[in-house]
Amino acid sequence: MTAGTLGPAHRPAWERRWAPRTWPARLSRLSSALAAPGLRLWAAIAAVVALDAAWLALLQVEVEPAGFAACAGLVCALLLAAAYCGTVRPEPTLRGMALASACLIAVTVPAAILHYLAATLAFPLADASLARAEAALGFDWPAYLGALAEHPVLARGLALAYHSSGPQVALVVIALSATRRLGRLWRFVRLFAGTLLVVIAVSAVLPAQGPYAFYAPERVPAGHIETVGALWHLEPLEHLRSGQLRSLALGDIRALVTFPSFHVCLAILTAWALAPLRLIGPAAVALNGAVIVGTVGAGGHYLPDILAGAALACLALAVSRRRLGAAPALSPASSDGPPCNATDLGVTGPPPPRRPPPRAAMTGRAARPTIFDGEGRVAFVARSRDAYYVFGSACRDKDTAEP
């Protein structure tokens, strides 16, 4: 220890590393590490799981557990990793990846089961109404598909873009976690879950087979990848609507939604999530524009499906932004709170410091807000276009403060 410095035992209490000493404090720290993207979202996931279980029991459907058990085990492993990276060894990037991945899997699998079960309601098909609306808009779907058949390179490129939606979700999780835009990541996860559940509810009331079955076009693209996304749901949909569902395995589930298009919703949300990132952002916007165009042919969607999916995504973003703007500013963290993970706070307005400002650490940079990290170091809080970033282990975890 050099002259003029203090050892850990002689530092002020507010500069020492916080460690919970009671079980309630430890549980509070653990729950804070797993709270994002929001307790209401986790409650909604639990409600969907309960609804699935009750519906399956009512229909007396035999469930093949292997695939679903594997997904449940993966979610538990990811939550354990998030808890470890949020409490034992703070690693905000890895925690964000693990927690977002767990939530996305936890919402997607029960929602997939729900939309499969909703098809057994067998409401009247809406294909005729959608085709009339498409004609009223002046769009000739069979002619468009014929043009794609005459340009196989274009058709294949659009089909590849269409099938990139799933990998792009993984890219969102990795990129936003790596750049510590966790507030934006949690918002994306909530928007993903909310729009998915709305799409399932609407498609249950307005089911449709799609334009391939309705128009029965004579000219179609020749490749398998160009048509698989538009045709693979027809047999399962007929099977479900005729009341022949007796067993369910994870590998048997197909996407049955036609109106509105969730692919378009996801394309807009993905482009929004990645847009602020250098290099990745412009490429993601361009790629998802191709996804939207490719949804008509490769996804087998009517034009009203595209418009409805785009409207839903834009409405969800507008509502989310309005709630974010109305969120109250964060209050200072309490003295008994755990040190947070480096986190995109996702709030507007300058965050108040957790402890008194440092003595000389901000020389020449007094206008920049600071927070201590619990070990005597200064964690700088930098203002960005959509949120704050905290570099280093800092204050209490506030990444769930964004509504």
Side-chain angles (χ1 to χ4, degrees), residues 97 169-181 274 277 280:
M97 291 182 188
V169 174
L171 177 62
V172 169
V173 173
I174 294 171
L176 294 185
S177 297
T179 57
R180 296 188 179 176
R181 296 174 179 263
L274 296 175
L277 304 182
I280 297 178

Side-chain angles (χ1 to χ4, degrees), residues 250-264:
L250 182 61
D252 296 335
I253 296 179
R254 302 286 185 267
L256 308 176
V257 172
T258 297
F259 177 87
S261 170
F262 183 66
H263 257 85
V264 173

Side-chain angles (χ1 to χ4, degrees), residues 187 316-327 403:
R187 193 174 167 198
L317 284 169
V319 171
S320 176
R321 183 176 182 84
R322 182 175 180 181
R323 293 187 59 211
L324 178 61

Side-chain angles (χ1 to χ4, degrees), residues 107 210 228:
V107 73
V228 61

Side-chain angles (χ1 to χ4, degrees), residues 51-53 55-57 59-69 108-120 236 239-240 244-256:
L51 178 59
D52 288 343
W55 204 334
L56 288 169
L59 296 179
Q60 298 181 345
V61 176
E62 181 182 353
V63 177
E64 297 183 16
F68 300 110
T108 301
V109 175
I113 299 173
L114 180 62
H115 106 288
Y116 229 58
L117 296 173
T120 63
H239 182 76
L240 293 168
Q244 301 177 24
L245 181 62
R246 295 293 177 265
S247 64
L248 182 64
L250 182 61
D252 296 335
I253 296 179
R254 302 286 185 267
L256 308 176

Side-chain angles (χ1 to χ4, degrees), residues 310-393:
L312 176 59
C314 294
L315 178 62
L317 284 169
V319 171
S320 176
R321 183 176 182 84
R322 182 175 180 181
R323 293 187 59 211
L324 178 61
L330 291 178
S331 59
S334 61
S335 59
D336 58 330
C340 80
N341 308 301
T343 298
D344 180 345
L345 300 182
V347 296
T348 55
R354 179 175 185 253
R355 294 299 186 186
R359 291 179 293 278
M362 292 299 292
T363 303
R365 308 180 80 168
R368 199 175 185 184
T370 61
I371 294 180
F372 270 97
D373 67 354
E375 295 181 343
R377 298 190 306 269
V378 174
F380 297 100
V381 182
R383 183 74 167 113
S384 76
R385 187 175 68 176
D386 46 59
Y388 284 94
Y389 299 92
V390 182
F391 299 93
S393 179

